[in-house]
Amino acid sequence: MTPVSVAPTGGFLTTGEVARHIGGTSQHVRQLIKSGRLAAIDIAKGNGRPRFRIAEAALADFLRDAAVIAPSEVA
């Protein structure tokens, strides 16, 4: 029998992929997850080191919340 990946498919990103999107490192992304600023799921299910996956929608929410609006743009 061929093993089946437990990783979610479609619409989910690894910490490395998210790091490239935000111009950071995988470690920084893990810190954002652990601090609660970025929502993620752990697909490792408690077996060893966490293996996080981040929904594309969660990344979009994080980026929207982190956006800085210049004072001239505030109505």
Side-chain angles (χ1 to χ4, degrees), residues 7-8 11-34 38-44 49-56 59 62:
F12 286 87
L13 304 167
T14 65
T15 55
E17 291 168 332
V18 171
R20 285 189 289 280
H21 278 283
I22 66 172
T25 64
S26 294
Q27 179 63 32
H28 181 235
V29 173
R30 286 189 292 275
Q31 289 172 346
L32 291 171
I33 293 167
K34 290 177 184 180
L38 179 61
I41 59 171
D42 180 2
I43 62 169
R49 187 173 137 215
R51 292 177 51 209
F52 294 116
R53 294 298 181 268
I54 300 94
E56 290 176 348
L59 176 58
F62 170 78

